[in-house]
Each structure stands twice: as C-alpha cells, then as structure tokens.
Amino acid sequence: MSIRSYFMAKFYDASMKKMEEACMSSWRKELLSDISGDVLEVGSGTGINLSYYPSSINKLTLTEPEPHMLKILRNNLNHIVGEKCTAIECTANALKFPDNSFDAVVSTLVLCSVDSTDKTLSEIKRVLKPGGKFYFIEHVIAKETPKLIKWQKLFQPFWIHMCGNCHLTRDTEADISNAGFKFHSIERLKSLGSPAIVSPTIKGIAVNDKA
Ligand SMILES: C[S@@+](CC[C@H](N)C(=O)[O-])C[C@H]1O[C@@H](n2cnc3c(N)ncnc32)[C@H](O)[C@@H]1O
C-alpha cells in the first residue's frame, strides 16, 4: 500500500467529477440500463457505478484489488444497496470464481490499468456463461488521430507512474475482439472534462462466444 494509492482512492471521486458531469455519468447510465441476472464488476474503485444498476438485477458482485479503494467501496455499499450486493478483494487477472458463473461482467476504466489485458479478458471470458455479456467503457489509443497518439506516447510513462498503472495507448477494442468476444454494440466516443490524451473512449457490449 503506497501513499500514492491512498491519495488516489481518497480523491478519486473528486478527480472524476468534471468528467462525470460532462459525459461519464450519462454513459454509465445508458450502458447499464438493461443489464440483468448475476452481474460481476471488475475494478469497481469507489463504486461509482453503483447508482446505475437497475434494481431488477439478481445479484451484484463487485471486485477491487486495491485496499484503500475497497474500504471506500464497502463504505458506499452500506449506504446504497442491500443483500444482493457484495464487495470482494480480487484482481481481475485472477478472478476468484468458478467457470460460467455470471450472466454479465462490467469493466469501466479498468482495462487501461490491469497488468495484462489478455489475461484479464480471458478471465472475464472464463467466468461468463456462454452467451454472457461483457459491458465496457474504456479509454483507448487515439487510432484515428496520429498526432494525439504522439502525445499519448510522450505522457504515458508519467501517467502509468502517477495514475495507478493507467496506460494511454492500449488498443482495447482489438484486445476484446482477439479474446474471442463478438461485439453486440460499440461506440467510439470522445470524453469531455478530461485531458485530450484520455479522451478517446470505447463503450459497448461484447458477447462471450464460447460454445
Ligand atoms: C480509473 S479506476 C476506475 C474505477 C471505476 N471502475 C470507475 O469506473 O470509475 C481503475 C480501477 O481499476 C483498479 N485496478 C487496477 N488494477 C486492477 C486489476 N489488476 N484488477 C482489477 N482492478 C484493477 C484500480 O484499483 C481502480 O479501482
């Protein structure tokens, strides 16, 4: 546990406020509006998504590996939801659940920070039921703006160091596809209220195609 991770957890919601108001809040709401069944969220952070889950879901399992974040998450959980929701300390690189456990998995602004996107996506695929859905909002490499990629590459070492291993140049759309998911929907967006280097964003739902 570092001082940096303590401060990141403590000031995470405040640091997101502008972007939440400008776009993220409505994107989260749209994404999660029709999610159903047994749902797993990876990298839940402080629990920003909590208020966007429909009350009709069957069960919500939130996971977060970072102890300071987890403490805030558990505190927020007590205030918001009841028995159908639990928070577990767990990395997305090694999910503590049996195969085919969930109808849906949610990841918002997490695949940029995991150690291995491939390992994480293969874990998400493993715990999803066949035909289960992966809901995502992730900031990505600026594929359509080469000039911006240069800035992303320049700032990336600093960003990784200061922002909890957050990478700026991941091609997460390709990673999701290469992991064997089929896109049910995908939007390529630009977030507002954030620095340009983190603005290219993908939002969508991918289906677990395993037999
Ligand atoms: C930018 S925050 C996003 C928090 C929240 N999902 C949101 O939408 O605001 C990134 C989160 O990913 C978590 N994280 C980092 N590495 C992870 C890993 N290997 N597995 C799961 N979560 C991870 C961090 O602790 C942090 O809570």
Side-chain angles (χ1 to χ4, degrees), residues 12 28 43-45 48 64-66 69 91-92 108-110 113-114:
Y12 184 72
R28 292 178 197 274
S44 298
I48 291 193
E64 169 57 45
E66 208 287 307
M69 285 285 195
T91 167
T108 58
L109 310 180
V110 176
S113 300
V114 296

Side-chain angles (χ1 to χ4, degrees), residues 112-147:
C112 53
S113 300
V114 296
D115 296 328
S116 162
T117 319
D118 291 350
K119 180 74 184 121
T120 297
L121 286 166
S122 114
E123 278 293 272
I124 290 172
K125 203 159 189 294
R126 180 183 68 72
V127 301
L128 266 176
K129 295 175 186 171
K133 290 179 180 164
F134 175 46
Y135 292 70
F136 59 86
I137 301 174
E138 298 289 345
H139 71 82
V140 292
I141 187 167
K143 268 203 271 196
E144 276 130 47
T145 322
K147 253 191 195 166

Side-chain angles (χ1 to χ4, degrees), residues 150-211:
K150 281 189 193 160
W151 288 106
Q152 289 181 318
K153 285 185 177 163
L154 185 71
F155 276 95
Q156 181 150 267
F158 165 80
W159 210 259
I160 289 172
H161 186 65
M162 293 306 292
C163 304
N165 200 41
C166 176
H167 292 66
L168 296 169
T169 59
R170 288 194 169 160
D171 188 351
T172 307
E173 180 176 343
D175 292 340
I176 293 171
S177 179
N178 292 336
F181 288 93
K182 293 270 174 290
F183 288 110
H184 171 267
S185 64
I186 181 155
E187 291 172 76
R188 297 170 192 91
L189 305 161
K190 283 198 171 57
S191 63
L192 303 168
S194 61
I197 48 175
V198 292
S199 78
T201 301
I202 54 169
K203 164 178 169 280
I205 303 171
V207 178
N208 183 11
D209 215 21
K210 75 185 162 194

Side-chain angles (χ1 to χ4, degrees), residues 53-126:
Y53 285 104
S55 56
S56 53
I57 57 169
N58 187 46
K59 195 172 163 224
L60 178 60
T61 306
L62 304 170
T63 56
E64 169 57 45
E66 208 287 307
H68 297 297
M69 285 285 195
L70 188 65
K71 197 172 167 198
I72 298 172
L73 175 64
R74 288 198 165 130
N75 199 28
N76 286 336
L77 211 59
N78 293 339
H79 295 123
I80 302 174
V81 256
E83 292 156 10
K84 65 164 82 168
C85 186
T86 48
I88 293 170
E89 183 171 355
C90 179
T91 167
N93 292 341
L95 293 170
K96 296 174 179 169
F97 309 100
D99 298 358
N100 307 333
S101 298
F102 297 98
D103 299 293
V105 176
V106 175
S107 166
T108 58
L109 310 180
V110 176
L111 293 179
C112 53
S113 300
V114 296
D115 296 328
S116 162
T117 319
D118 291 350
K119 180 74 184 121
T120 297
L121 286 166
S122 114
E123 278 293 272
I124 290 172
K125 203 159 189 294
R126 180 183 68 72

